[in-house]
Amino acid sequence: MPQVSFEQVQDFVSENLNVPKERLNPSTRLLHDLWLDGDDAEGLLRDFAQHFSVDMAGLDLRRHFGSEMEAGIRWVLQKALGAERLSYAPITLKDLLDAANRGRWLVTEPAQGAS
């Protein structure tokens, strides 16, 4: 299987989120830097999985992203109060690259409070 390059992941994210490629590097975080959350995060990762043939069964979205309603509340708090929305484990573009080259998402710890 040919290796996926960072530039391929960078192009995918840039095109899907309409973000300039210059803003994207391996440490760019989907939620924390690009404000991708809720249904938008789920959609991008579903498209990513299909595009790069990645089995995402090991991904617990609740560990990395909030619900659509929570996303709006976090955005308001961040803008108005400078409150952090960083209680979620980040997913970086390097994480996406690694998953694309493995062909699967590594199973992660369950979200705090999740059963």
Side-chain angles (χ1 to χ4, degrees), residues 4-13 21 52 97:
V4 174
S5 70
F6 174 72
E7 290 73 24
Q8 290 172 290
V9 172
Q10 184 184 40
D11 287 343
F12 174 83
V13 172
K21 284 174 48 171
F52 291 103
L97 174 63

Short mmCIF file of all heavy atoms in Angstrom, two decimals, residues 4-13 21 52 97:
data_model
loop_
_atom_site.label_atom_id
_atom_site.label_comp_id
_atom_site.label_asym_id
_atom_site.label_seq_id
_atom_site.Cartn_x
_atom_site.Cartn_y
_atom_site.Cartn_z
N VAL A 4 0.70 7.56 2.43
CA VAL A 4 0.00 8.83 2.29
C VAL A 4 0.96 9.90 2.79
O VAL A 4 1.58 9.74 3.84
CB VAL A 4 -1.30 8.83 3.13
CG1 VAL A 4 -1.96 10.20 3.12
CG2 VAL A 4 -2.25 7.76 2.63
N SER A 5 1.08 10.99 2.05
CA SER A 5 1.97 12.07 2.45
C SER A 5 1.21 13.11 3.27
O SER A 5 -0.02 13.20 3.19
CB SER A 5 2.58 12.75 1.21
OG SER A 5 1.57 13.47 0.52
N PHE A 6 1.96 13.90 4.03
CA PHE A 6 1.32 14.97 4.78
C PHE A 6 0.62 15.93 3.83
O PHE A 6 -0.48 16.41 4.12
CB PHE A 6 2.33 15.74 5.65
CG PHE A 6 1.67 16.93 6.30
CD1 PHE A 6 0.77 16.75 7.34
CD2 PHE A 6 1.88 18.21 5.82
CE1 PHE A 6 0.11 17.84 7.91
CE2 PHE A 6 1.24 19.30 6.39
CZ PHE A 6 0.35 19.11 7.44
N GLU A 7 1.21 16.18 2.68
CA GLU A 7 0.60 17.09 1.71
C GLU A 7 -0.77 16.60 1.25
O GLU A 7 -1.66 17.42 1.02
CB GLU A 7 1.54 17.30 0.51
CG GLU A 7 2.78 18.10 0.83
CD GLU A 7 3.82 17.35 1.66
OE1 GLU A 7 3.85 16.08 1.64
OE2 GLU A 7 4.61 18.02 2.36
N GLN A 8 -0.95 15.29 1.14
CA GLN A 8 -2.26 14.76 0.76
C GLN A 8 -3.30 15.03 1.85
O GLN A 8 -4.43 15.40 1.55
CB GLN A 8 -2.17 13.26 0.48
CG GLN A 8 -1.41 12.93 -0.79
CD GLN A 8 -1.18 11.44 -0.92
OE1 GLN A 8 -0.40 10.85 -0.17
NE2 GLN A 8 -1.88 10.83 -1.86
N VAL A 9 -2.91 14.83 3.10
CA VAL A 9 -3.82 15.12 4.22
C VAL A 9 -4.07 16.62 4.30
O VAL A 9 -5.22 17.07 4.47
CB VAL A 9 -3.25 14.57 5.55
CG1 VAL A 9 -4.08 15.03 6.74
CG2 VAL A 9 -3.16 13.05 5.50
N GLN A 10 -3.03 17.41 4.14
CA GLN A 10 -3.15 18.86 4.17
C GLN A 10 -4.11 19.34 3.06
O GLN A 10 -4.98 20.17 3.32
CB GLN A 10 -1.76 19.47 3.97
CG GLN A 10 -1.69 20.98 4.06
CD GLN A 10 -0.30 21.48 3.76
OE1 GLN A 10 0.38 20.98 2.86
NE2 GLN A 10 0.14 22.48 4.51
N ASP A 11 -3.96 18.81 1.86
CA ASP A 11 -4.85 19.16 0.75
C ASP A 11 -6.30 18.79 1.08
O ASP A 11 -7.22 19.57 0.83
CB ASP A 11 -4.43 18.47 -0.55
CG ASP A 11 -3.17 19.04 -1.15
OD1 ASP A 11 -2.77 20.17 -0.78
OD2 ASP A 11 -2.57 18.34 -2.00
N PHE A 12 -6.50 17.59 1.62
CA PHE A 12 -7.85 17.13 1.96
C PHE A 12 -8.50 18.08 2.96
O PHE A 12 -9.64 18.51 2.76
CB PHE A 12 -7.79 15.70 2.51
CG PHE A 12 -9.11 15.22 3.00
CD1 PHE A 12 -10.04 14.68 2.13
CD2 PHE A 12 -9.45 15.32 4.35
CE1 PHE A 12 -11.29 14.25 2.58
CE2 PHE A 12 -10.68 14.90 4.81
CZ PHE A 12 -11.60 14.36 3.92
N VAL A 13 -7.81 18.39 4.03
CA VAL A 13 -8.37 19.26 5.07
C VAL A 13 -8.58 20.66 4.52
O VAL A 13 -9.63 21.27 4.74
CB VAL A 13 -7.47 19.27 6.33
CG1 VAL A 13 -7.93 20.32 7.33
CG2 VAL A 13 -7.45 17.88 6.98
N LYS A 21 -3.86 26.30 2.91
CA LYS A 21 -2.87 25.26 3.23
C LYS A 21 -1.77 25.79 4.13
O LYS A 21 -1.25 25.06 4.97
CB LYS A 21 -2.28 24.68 1.95
CG LYS A 21 -3.21 23.74 1.24
CD LYS A 21 -2.72 23.27 -0.09
CE LYS A 21 -1.31 22.78 -0.10
NZ LYS A 21 -0.92 22.14 -1.36
N PHE A 52 -9.42 8.11 2.41
CA PHE A 52 -8.14 7.44 2.63
C PHE A 52 -8.29 5.97 3.03
O PHE A 52 -7.30 5.34 3.41
CB PHE A 52 -7.34 8.19 3.71
CG PHE A 52 -6.86 9.54 3.25
CD1 PHE A 52 -7.50 10.70 3.67
CD2 PHE A 52 -5.77 9.67 2.41
CE1 PHE A 52 -7.06 11.95 3.27
CE2 PHE A 52 -5.32 10.91 1.99
CZ PHE A 52 -5.96 12.06 2.42
N LEU A 97 -2.74 11.76 9.47
CA LEU A 97 -1.72 11.15 8.59
C LEU A 97 -1.36 9.76 9.07
O LEU A 97 -1.32 8.81 8.27
CB LEU A 97 -0.48 12.05 8.55
CG LEU A 97 0.72 11.50 7.79
CD1 LEU A 97 0.38 11.30 6.31
CD2 LEU A 97 1.92 12.42 7.96
#
